[in-house]
Amino acid sequence: MTGQIRTQTPGPDIGILKAAAFDLSPDPSMVVDSEGALVAVNEAAEALFGQGLGLLARGRFRAALPPGSALVSLLNRALEEDARVRERGVQINLFGLPPFEADGAAAPLGDGSVLLTLSVKAGLGVERGVGPEAAGLRSVVGLGRMLAHEIKNPLAGIRGAAQLLKSGAKAEDAPLAQLIVDETDRVRRLVERMEAFSDDHLPSLTPINIHQILDRVRALAANGVADGLTLREQYDPSLPPVLGDEDQLIQIFLNLVKNAAEAAHSRGDGRGELSITTAFRHGVRVRATKGQPPRGAPLEVRIVDNGPGVPAHLREHLFQPFVTSKVNGAGLGLALVAKLVAGHGGLIDFESEPGRTVFRVLLPIATEEDVSA
């Protein structure tokens, strides 16, 4: 995103230079307006918190801060003193990220808004590019490994014993034995899904035509979860190849399309619609993930449905593990999608209202060197 800092009397060239300096600053920076809303963040802030402005700006920024927050005090002092103020060792507790310590600076911009800059201290367990989803996923990685090791083997024994009981059980007791088998299988599937989080290997990235991926996903959906829906696609045929892992990209978009299809079906009026669009977003940049070179000008894929929308109480934490609105859902699907997108050096965001929900995935394109490799 391109951050825009509002000043009292910026000339056109000065405004451009200031916006560029804001966006390219290595320190996480945010602009909070006079109403307490977050109106701009730079790339470093997006990388730190693992979310784009669309997610970070949900609700009132000030209202989301805990009572007695040092950040609130810092913002108030900047406005009261009409000067740049600093404070060292501020406890930061934002956007679901585990609390960490940073030096903070706040500067009034002349129109009631304040520029807030954080200088994150090293060695405190917070790395740039590690957001709340990633922080939550780290715990799930360890939990997935433990479950896979400690639970899968006993589950197999329980299932085998239940099958033996079923074979010799009275007719009226057979359903109970089958219930044990079914529930054991359900727990095993949950463990296997969590086990997917324990794969720390980087994806195998190669140049891929994103439309081949999306056509396959559409075909799978049309003959499955999206049966009975109106499916539309609007592709930009001029798009360059994306740099991605074919299997993981299919998993990403099949999961998003499946969720969108279920939302559209839930209307219950036979008018459910789902669309997939692609576009090239000039000037949009994504910050590189660990072990990968910086990539720019990402390719955008949008999955849109006309379902009832994401419940308001889930929106802030939607990509975190175990967050779901489904009665029988485990809340791991979107968390895994976020992990896979991050592994590609991309970004995922969404916007939702009744009758329209849009999930947007930004992925780096393949360079000429990638194509010729």
Side-chain angles (χ1 to χ4, degrees):
M1 53 87 62
T2 301
Q4 298 293 330
I5 297 184
R6 294 174 290 177
T7 58
Q8 285 183 304
T9 57
D13 292 338
I14 294 176
I16 292 173
L17 289 173
K18 286 189 174 182
F22 170 75
D23 204 32
L24 297 176
S25 170
D27 290 321
S29 301
M30 300 168 278
V31 177
V32 183
D33 71 8
S34 58
E35 300 298 321
L38 195 63
V39 294
V41 296
N42 68 354
E43 287 186 355
E46 288 182 333
L48 173 64
F49 296 113
Q51 302 181 33
L53 176 62
L55 285 178
L56 295 177
R58 294 186 189 279
R60 286 286 179 260
F61 178 77
R62 280 178 177 264
L65 295 173
S69 168
L71 286 182
V72 172
S73 174
L74 197 62
L75 294 170
N76 290 340
R77 281 180 53 204
L79 291 173
E80 292 169 0
E81 299 177 19
D82 194 25
R84 186 173 186 269
V85 294
R86 298 187 63 182
E87 187 166 334
R88 297 187 180 279
V90 177
Q91 285 293 316
I92 309 297
N93 187 5
L94 289 171
F95 311 121
L97 196 71
F100 60 95
E101 192 173 276
D103 294 340
L109 298 179
D111 60 354
S113 59
V114 178
L115 172 64
L116 177 64
T117 303
L118 303 177
S119 179
V120 181
K121 295 188 175 183
L124 294 171
V126 176
E127 302 174 6
R128 293 195 183 159
V130 177
E133 293 84 18
L137 287 172
R138 280 199 300 269
S139 63
V140 177
V141 167
L143 184 58
R145 290 190 181 120
M146 181 194 72
L147 287 172
H149 180 71
E150 300 292 342
I151 296 181
K152 288 179 74 174
N153 288 338
L155 281 179
I158 293 171
R159 191 182 193 281
Q163 286 180 313
L164 288 174
L165 289 173
K166 180 182 175 183
S167 64
K170 297 178 181 179
E172 60 269 25
D173 294 332
L176 292 176
Q178 185 59 47
L179 177 63
I180 297 173
V181 172
D182 293 342
E183 286 300 291
T184 301
D185 287 343
R186 186 177 67 84
V187 174
R188 177 180 53 80
R189 289 193 298 271
L190 174 60
V191 171
E192 288 176 347
R193 291 183 67 190
M194 294 185 65
E195 197 174 7
F197 289 96
S198 66
D199 184 4
D200 294 329
H201 299 293
L202 290 175
S204 177
L205 302 179
T206 57
I208 301 174
N209 185 331
I210 193 63
H211 298 134
Q212 293 179 358
I213 299 292
L214 296 176
D215 283 343
R216 182 171 174 185
V217 169
R218 186 190 186 283
L220 290 170
N223 294 286
V225 292
D227 184 31
L229 300 177
T230 299
L231 296 179
R232 297 188 174 90
E233 66 274 338
Q234 185 176 351
Y235 296 161
D236 180 349
S238 67
L239 289 180
V242 67
L243 193 66
D245 181 297
E246 181 176 2
D247 290 339
Q248 291 191 9
L249 288 175
I250 290 174
Q251 188 173 7
I252 289 169
F253 293 112
L254 189 58
N255 193 304
L256 293 177
V257 167
K258 178 178 179 291
N259 287 350
E262 292 174 350
H265 276 305
S266 70
R267 291 171 55 96
D269 59 2
R271 297 181 179 180
E273 297 182 1
L274 189 155
S275 67
I276 306 173
T277 66
T278 62
F280 188 88
R281 296 303 178 192
H282 294 275
V284 181
R285 296 183 300 276
V286 292
R287 187 171 288 268
T289 57
K290 186 176 182 180
Q292 297 179 1
R295 297 279 177 176
L299 177 151
E300 179 186 82
V301 179
R302 288 180 176 239
I303 311 295
V304 185
D305 70 74
N306 65 343
V310 178
H313 68 284
L314 297 181
R315 294 178 185 179
E316 187 175 345
H317 309 289
L318 193 61
F319 296 112
Q320 295 182 20
F322 309 115
V323 175
T324 182
S325 62
K326 300 176 185 178
V327 175
N328 296 315
L332 294 175
L334 286 177
L336 181 57
V337 165
K339 176 181 184 291
L340 297 180
V341 171
H344 280 73
L347 293 172
I348 184 168
D349 200 350
F350 79 98
E351 55 188 53
S352 183
E353 60 184 26
R356 178 178 168 82
T357 296
V358 182
F359 276 84
R360 182 181 67 149
V361 177
L362 296 172
L363 295 168
I365 62 171
T367 64
E368 293 183 2
E369 291 79 6
D370 296 322
V371 174
S372 60

